[in-house]
Amino acid sequence: MTAGPAFTCVLDARAKLGEGPVWSAADQALYWVDIKGRALNRFDPATGATLVLPLPEEIGCVAPRKGGGFIAGLRSGLWQLDGEGGLVACLAANPEDQGASRFNDGKVDPAGRYLAGTLDEPKAGGKAHLYRYDHRGLAVLAGGLLTSNGLAFSPDGRTLYHADTPTFTVRRYRYDPATGEISDGEVFIRLQPTADDRGRPDGAAVDAEGCYWTALYEGGRVARFSPDGVLLSEHPVPARCPTMVAFGGPDLRTLYLTTASAGRPADELERFPQSGGLFAMAVEVPGLPVPPFDPAA
């Protein structure tokens, strides 16, 4: 394992719980959410301009939609949003207890379906799930989870990575792009927490070499693993709680990273005053293009 370059802050956003970054090739902009701030954000790296679009409830994930607008996972369910972040229609209600569950991490599959998981807020009952949404409706792919996270696909689209953050574990599955079904789940990474390091796998992305990048929440770093699960490099972040990575830029050689500040100790925020900011790092290996959500998929 090697120590890699560090991330630098490109937007001191002071987000409460930054999450869900996704690059829009059409807009040449990065969209990301502030879950606890109830906002969808747009960042233009060419100008540094940022746009904040308020929402009426917590938003956990978002993706551009074919034909315009977005699909987004909110507390109440999966929603179609217009280009200004306005609610258009509820596509699928959250079938769990919405008082203790909300949608969290999401990712578009190679065929244009949307995969999104929930968070069991008490983190005690294992009541969260990973779902698939397409023209057939909402379907359960996995259950018994605490915090569904870390979704990413291999370059050929036939492997799905998925984390359950509080268990320090990332699993991988065989994925059928033709049907959206998963099978043969196995442990890909299991991190070992210590008293000084509680870094656990949060949001993720895969690069063109098939390597898995994961933000280590409460670990102050991002880690890159080989397709065989070998730790290749770690990259420090000037924030204790990185949350999710996404490749962006015209050549997909910029790795963006969201972070959190809500609920963190005062002394930590003094040491890391850019917590809640948007960070970036240049990478040699580009990421993979992310397709838009396709309502007909």
Side-chain angles (χ1 to χ4, degrees):
M1 189 274 292
T2 61
F7 283 82
T8 59
C9 188
V10 293
L11 180 66
D12 190 10
R14 307 294 174 94
K16 295 179 180 178
L17 181 51
E19 264 285 9
V22 59
W23 179 256
S24 170
D27 295 347
Q28 289 293 293
L30 186 82
Y31 290 93
W32 59 283
V33 306
D34 183 352
I35 298 177
K36 293 185 179 297
R38 299 186 175 187
L40 170 61
N41 302 276
R42 181 186 189 275
F43 173 68
D44 183 346
T47 65
T50 185
L51 179 65
V52 179
L53 304 172
L55 285 160
E57 59 183 273
E58 293 147 307
I59 174 173
C61 52
V62 69
R65 176 183 179 274
K66 185 177 181 180
F70 307 90
I71 184 172
L74 279 64
R75 177 173 291 275
S76 60
L78 298 179
W79 283 78
Q80 178 184 343
L81 308 182
D82 63 25
E84 301 301 316
L87 303 184
V88 175
C90 183
L91 304 174
N94 179 358
E96 301 169 12
D97 175 6
Q98 295 177 19
S101 164
R102 60 166 174 78
F103 273 96
N104 193 46
D105 185 53
K107 193 68 65 76
V108 179
D109 86 349
R113 306 179 191 89
Y114 199 54
L115 271 60
T118 53
L119 178 149
D120 176 7
E121 288 177 317
K123 293 185 176 61
K127 297 179 180 179
H129 296 78
L130 172 63
Y131 298 93
R132 179 192 66 234
Y133 177 78
D134 58 18
H135 72 279
R136 298 167 291 184
L138 197 68
V140 174
L141 293 182
L145 307 171
L146 297 173
T147 303
S148 180
N149 236 323
L151 290 169
F153 291 92
S154 61
D156 66 2
R158 297 189 176 278
T159 298
L160 170 68
Y161 298 94
H162 177 247
D164 190 3
T165 299
T167 68
F168 294 82
T169 302
V170 181
R171 298 181 67 82
R172 63 183 173 190
Y173 298 86
R174 290 184 184 274
Y175 191 78
D176 186 344
T179 64
E181 297 294 335
I182 65 173
S183 60
D184 301 330
E186 62 180 4
V187 173
F188 173 60
I189 300 165
R190 179 169 286 135
L191 302 177
Q192 299 299 323
T194 67
D196 297 325
D197 183 5
R198 296 281 297 171
R200 47 201 183 272
D202 205 318
V206 167
D207 64 28
E209 292 184 348
C211 293
Y212 183 84
W213 294 77
T214 177
L216 298 182
Y217 190 87
E218 282 193 334
R221 65 196 190 278
V222 169
R224 183 183 187 234
F225 291 86
S226 75
D228 296 324
V230 176
L231 178 60
L232 299 177
S233 61
E234 291 186 327
H235 305 263
V237 181
R240 183 68 175 163
C241 294
T243 55
M244 186 174 176
V245 289
F247 291 94
D251 57 1
L252 297 179
R253 291 179 185 270
T254 300
L255 189 62
Y256 289 100
L257 172 70
T258 48
T259 61
S261 65
R264 306 309 304 167
D267 63 336
E268 177 183 309
L269 296 179
E270 288 179 5
R271 286 185 292 123
F272 302 111
Q274 294 174 322
S275 295
L278 178 65
F279 294 79
M281 179 182 73
V283 293
E284 294 182 2
V285 179
L288 301 168
V290 177
F293 166 68
D294 184 350

